[in-house]
Amino acid sequence: MNFAAQFFANFVNDGLETRRSFNDSEEYDPFWQSAEQRRGSSKPDCSFHSGPCAKDGHIGNGRLGRRSTLICPERLKDFGAEEYLNGDVKVFETSVSEPPEVQLLSTPKPAVKKSSESKTTATAPPEHLRFEDISTAAFKLQQAGIQKTPCTYSRLSKQYGMEIFLKKELLHYTGSVKERGALYLLSSLKQGQQRKGVIVATDSSFSMAVAYHAVELRIPVFVIMPACCSPPRLRMYRDYGAMVISYGSTARDSINHARHLARENGYLCLEEDDSAVYLAGLGTVGLEIYEQVPKLDAVIVPASGNYGLLTGTAAAIKHLNPRISVIGVEPEDFPLLLQSLKTDSPIKDLYCNPDKKLYRDLMDHSLGTHCFQLAKKTVDKVISVREADALVAMLRFQEYERSTVDTEGAMGLAAILAGQLPELKGKRWVAVVVSSANMELDLVLQCVERALVLDDRVSRFTVQLDDWPGDMAKLLDLLAREDVRLLDVCHRRYSDKAELFKAQVECVVEMRDKSQNSQLRRTLSDRYPSLHWLER
């Protein structure tokens, strides 16, 4: 009895000395321990501990009620080095990689000719992507519980003169097609690497997919994110069960730090690349489309972000039926694949400045050699679409499909409504891959408001009215007769743009469609000579 009482007293004293509470507004960061804890830690290392470590008690990742992390508390000391706090982090270009369990075909190494002119070493040839690899990935993903997303007939078919079928990859748990590649990549790791854990960096669809499925597979996962990431996204990663830390002010800082931690501690830093394993997982989309749409004429695939979806899907489709056209679509502000095909060599970067909010996933990726070679062989056409067309396509999804997608997911439909695919007019079976729907709510609202203006359904105009009683009422009565919704009105009597004894009136109106917009413009111009429409 005395021994039990003494053990309980020691346990309570140790807990009071080492633990402290965190309130809701304080960021919980288990990686950065105090210097006294790191210097005074004399407990044995349990880096290869495969189960829960009970000697230090339960470590929760955030608030109570969230999924508990799979990280053993003894391993958190690996992330507490003080020399990284001042931002002086060395950049390591090498990345840690592990061969998958599925052995893939590799090209034979070419013989290096000895000559005095060339002294550079030969680079490793890219891997081949076989149809057998995609079939194996489809079987393993089905066993792992990945859902077969529907490919449904679209209500937009009659509007654009073709039979459109939407492959809704946005219905995955994390809202992105990249779950296929991430899950197959994680399940292909060796058991020793799975016990050690993996690291991902930046806030992207790929990182979300890795964080979710790694926890499902009981693989410890660390997420290094820049400090600019929004709190709702941080909560989402922690709810998945990943260990999250904010580091650096940019995505590049987080990536460099993740690579350094992987090199120093033996973890695997997972990044989107063009490995055959990752492409095979994404290529399963092509197998499902071919099965769900029997008389397929063309497949439209977004090529922004990571090009593995386009090349993997094209490899599967072309093997099953070479006559089916595969079309890639990428944003006009960042046409990486299109420019690479014109120059016949993969371009690593373009000197352009796309909108970072709209094209977040593609900003930190480049076109790999493997994807470029596959695109040359299997993709029939690559086009680019404007930002305005992508926003209007997002609006069409909201109205006709009752779905909220991001700009990457709307790329395929944007190419159709922009009229850049006239050869598909009259085609009976056209499949469009809706790849993702990972956009924050405030950005979705901004995109919808902007799309209404671009679609000529919200307009703004100014007129000058006589400063007499009843003139403002006549203008409002005219708008009511035209069945126009008045969103905002501003009446300025003392304005530098108004004439003497005149009032400047500015109105924001919403209309049903473009025909009503044209009718309102004609009616107002006949009544008010001073009418001025503000350009969108």
Side-chain angles (χ1 to χ4, degrees), residues 183-290:
L183 177 57
Y184 189 50
L185 190 63
L186 290 170
S187 60
S188 300
L189 299 177
K190 292 183 177 180
Q191 293 184 358
Q193 188 61 63
Q194 290 183 356
R195 285 195 298 267
K196 292 181 181 179
V198 297
I199 301 178
V200 290
T202 72
D203 178 22
S204 63
S205 298
F206 177 76
S207 298
M208 294 179 64
V210 171
Y212 173 71
H213 285 290
V215 175
E216 292 294 315
L217 296 174
R218 300 198 62 81
I219 300 175
V221 55
F222 304 89
V223 181
I224 314 298
M225 304 180 67
C228 58
C229 183
S230 62
R233 305 284 285 193
L234 288 173
R235 284 197 303 268
M236 188 177 299
Y237 283 95
R238 287 187 173 129
D239 290 339
Y240 289 159
M243 190 65 68
V244 184
I245 180 174
S246 298
Y247 182 89
S249 58
T250 62
R252 181 56 54 188
D253 295 337
S254 301
I255 293 174
N256 293 336
H257 190 56
R259 291 173 181 173
H260 176 74
L261 294 177
R263 177 182 176 88
E264 291 294 321
N265 303 292
Y267 302 103
L268 177 62
C269 184
L270 289 181
E271 301 181 35
E272 280 193 90
D273 55 11
D274 56 353
S275 63
V277 178
Y278 185 64
L279 297 185
L282 295 176
T284 57
V285 177
L287 296 181
E288 295 183 7
I289 292 177
Y290 188 81

Side-chain angles (χ1 to χ4, degrees), residues 386-448:
R386 301 178 305 163
E387 177 183 307
D389 296 327
L391 294 177
V392 174
M394 292 174 59
L395 182 63
R396 296 289 185 270
F397 272 106
Q398 288 275 359
E399 294 179 322
Y400 290 89
E401 298 298 330
R402 305 300 188 267
S403 301
T404 301
V405 302
D406 54 15
T407 48
E408 183 179 350
M411 283 291 167
L413 184 61
I416 295 177
L417 64 88
Q420 297 198 36
L421 298 173
E423 66 274 13
L424 297 183
K425 289 287 186 178
K427 296 291 184 180
R428 291 196 53 80
W429 312 98
V430 177
V432 178
V433 179
V434 186
S435 58
S436 59
N438 282 329
M439 182 174 285
E440 299 180 16
L441 181 60
D442 57 343
L443 186 56
V444 171
L445 296 177
Q446 295 179 32
C447 291
V448 171

Side-chain angles (χ1 to χ4, degrees), residues 16-294:
L16 292 176
E17 292 175 0
T18 58
R19 298 183 61 186
R20 69 183 183 92
S21 60
F22 292 83
N23 53 34
D24 294 341
S25 61
E26 187 174 1
E27 187 70 19
Y28 172 63
D29 193 350
F31 291 135
W32 306 112
Q33 299 174 350
S34 63
E36 291 78 5
Q37 288 177 315
R38 292 193 300 272
R39 289 194 294 267
S41 177
S42 60
K43 300 176 183 180
D45 186 15
C46 57
S47 298
F48 298 92
H49 193 277
S50 58
C53 182
K55 59 185 177 181
D56 284 336
H58 174 71
I59 300 296
N61 185 23
R63 300 179 182 175
L64 296 177
R66 293 177 179 157
R67 300 173 63 185
S68 59
T69 178
L70 302 177
I71 311 302
C72 186
E74 280 294 320
R75 296 168 55 192
L76 300 181
K77 64 184 180 181
D78 297 336
F79 295 81
E82 291 181 343
E83 55 267 21
Y84 310 127
L85 291 176
N86 55 6
D88 187 13
V89 181
K90 297 181 181 179
V91 180
F92 294 87
E93 298 296 336
T94 59
S95 60
V96 183
S97 60
E98 289 288 340
E101 292 179 356
V102 182
Q103 298 297 327
L104 302 174
L105 179 63
S106 299
T107 55
K109 296 182 179 180
V112 181
K113 296 182 180 180
K114 297 181 179 180
S115 61
S116 58
E117 298 179 358
S118 176
K119 295 182 180 181
T120 59
T121 59
T123 58
E127 300 172 275
H128 284 285
L129 179 64
R130 304 175 304 176
F131 181 77
E132 291 78 5
D133 302 328
I134 302 177
S135 301
T136 303
F139 178 74
K140 287 194 173 184
L141 290 178
Q142 185 178 6
Q143 286 184 327
I146 201 76
Q147 62 176 334
K148 181 181 290 187
T149 56
C151 190
T152 58
Y153 182 77
S154 176
R155 302 179 181 90
L156 295 166
S157 299
K158 295 181 179 179
Q159 185 173 351
Y160 297 107
M162 62 187 75
E163 303 297 315
I164 302 175
F165 292 82
L166 300 178
K167 180 62 174 173
K168 298 182 178 180
E169 290 297 307
L170 76 162
L171 297 180
H172 287 289
Y173 189 86
T174 62
S176 172
V177 68
K178 296 179 182 179
E179 280 195 25
R180 298 175 180 267
L183 177 57
Y184 189 50
L185 190 63
L186 290 170
S187 60
S188 300
L189 299 177
K190 292 183 177 180
Q191 293 184 358
Q193 188 61 63
Q194 290 183 356
R195 285 195 298 267
K196 292 181 181 179
V198 297
I199 301 178
V200 290
T202 72
D203 178 22
S204 63
S205 298
F206 177 76
S207 298
M208 294 179 64
V210 171
Y212 173 71
H213 285 290
V215 175
E216 292 294 315
L217 296 174
R218 300 198 62 81
I219 300 175
V221 55
F222 304 89
V223 181
I224 314 298
M225 304 180 67
C228 58
C229 183
S230 62
R233 305 284 285 193
L234 288 173
R235 284 197 303 268
M236 188 177 299
Y237 283 95
R238 287 187 173 129
D239 290 339
Y240 289 159
M243 190 65 68
V244 184
I245 180 174
S246 298
Y247 182 89
S249 58
T250 62
R252 181 56 54 188
D253 295 337
S254 301
I255 293 174
N256 293 336
H257 190 56
R259 291 173 181 173
H260 176 74
L261 294 177
R263 177 182 176 88
E264 291 294 321
N265 303 292
Y267 302 103
L268 177 62
C269 184
L270 289 181
E271 301 181 35
E272 280 193 90
D273 55 11
D274 56 353
S275 63
V277 178
Y278 185 64
L279 297 185
L282 295 176
T284 57
V285 177
L287 296 181
E288 295 183 7
I289 292 177
Y290 188 81
E291 177 186 353
Q292 293 168 329
V293 187

Side-chain angles (χ1 to χ4, degrees), residues 331-352:
E332 190 179 64
D333 296 335
F334 201 75
L336 198 61
L337 179 58
L338 189 61
Q339 295 298 327
S340 299
L341 292 175
K342 290 181 179 180
T343 59
D344 199 22
S345 63
I347 299 176
K348 297 301 180 182
D349 193 11
L350 286 177
Y351 296 99
C352 57

